[in-house]
Amino acid sequence: MMARTLAAFALAVAVSAVPAQAMEACGEQAARYENGKGFAFVVIRAGEARVVNPLRPLTPEVTQVLEVVIGAKRATAYGPDFTSLRRGGTPSVVQAMLGAPITWEPKLPALPDTLNIVSEEGTPLAELGFKLCVAPPAIAPEAAPQAKKGAPRKGGSKAAEGGAKTGGTKAAAKPAKTPQGFSIPQGAVAE
């Protein structure tokens, strides 16, 4: 009984210690964060990417992802939690780098009062505090990846065209490259 009372008291103290703004969910609106030195960004979406390692299927690696607008440009901040976010490109770039799709929340959830941006080495770059909920900025949607120069515009792939012209099969294609920051465990692929 005493332990349950102490646990309830500790929870009440922890909740009262969190600023009211930190527990506020902006919902359909965006959340503006500033660092007090003129740098600010607006969080428009929040989600996560889950990477399942076949060697450890019960413990997926979960990466928190925030889509932000800085000035008039779309970017991301991602990391294992909100205390150590890294700067990233557009959501499609981060998805390709992480090797997993981002599952976006339908509405902006309650975010912490402070977001910390760190370098790749973990050195703090910026600490941004929540200011207020704002209308989402009007920005252009993320551009679709452009086709490479010389790629066919209609009617099939270049490899299919080459095979049709020569009457045979095309030589083996180059193996796909592993995304940067993602490694395949030794022994996972038979040689």
Side-chain angles (χ1 to χ4, degrees):
M1 182 73 174
M2 177 84 164
R4 197 175 337 166
T5 306
L6 287 174
F9 177 72
L11 179 62
V13 169
V15 169
S16 66
V18 175
Q21 294 175 335
M23 297 172 57
E24 179 182 340
C26 291
E28 299 291 328
Q29 292 188 311
R32 182 175 174 84
Y33 282 82
E34 298 177 1
N35 72 348
K37 298 179 182 177
F39 179 73
F41 64 64
V42 177
V43 178
I44 58 174
R45 285 199 295 181
E48 66 182 23
R50 290 182 174 268
V51 177
V52 178
N53 183 339
L55 300 176
R56 295 182 295 147
L58 300 177
T59 54
E61 295 175 22
V62 179
T63 303
Q64 301 296 322
V65 182
L66 298 175
E67 184 173 9
V68 300
V69 176
I70 302 171
K73 294 190 177 191
R74 184 184 307 260
T76 55
Y78 66 95
D81 54 39
F82 296 121
T83 61
S84 57
L85 296 169
R86 288 169 177 75
R87 300 174 295 181
T90 61
S92 62
V93 170
V94 172
Q95 287 183 124
M97 182 188 66
L98 295 174
I102 299 171
T103 305
W104 297 107
E105 295 286 333
K107 293 182 179 181
L108 198 61
L111 295 171
D113 194 40
T114 303
L115 298 176
N116 294 313
I117 308 297
V118 299
S119 68
E120 290 296 322
E121 296 80 32
T123 307
L125 297 175
E127 183 177 300
L128 297 125
F130 175 78
K131 290 301 173 192
L132 65 142
C133 294
V134 296
I139 58 168
E142 185 176 351
Q146 295 181 348
K148 292 184 179 178
K149 194 173 185 177
R153 294 184 183 167
K154 293 182 183 176
S157 69
K158 197 168 191 170
E161 289 176 8
K165 288 179 184 175
T166 60
T169 59
K170 196 78 170 166
K174 292 181 182 178
K177 289 186 175 183
T178 304
Q180 182 180 8
F182 184 77
S183 62
I184 298 175
Q186 183 177 4
V189 179
E191 292 184 33

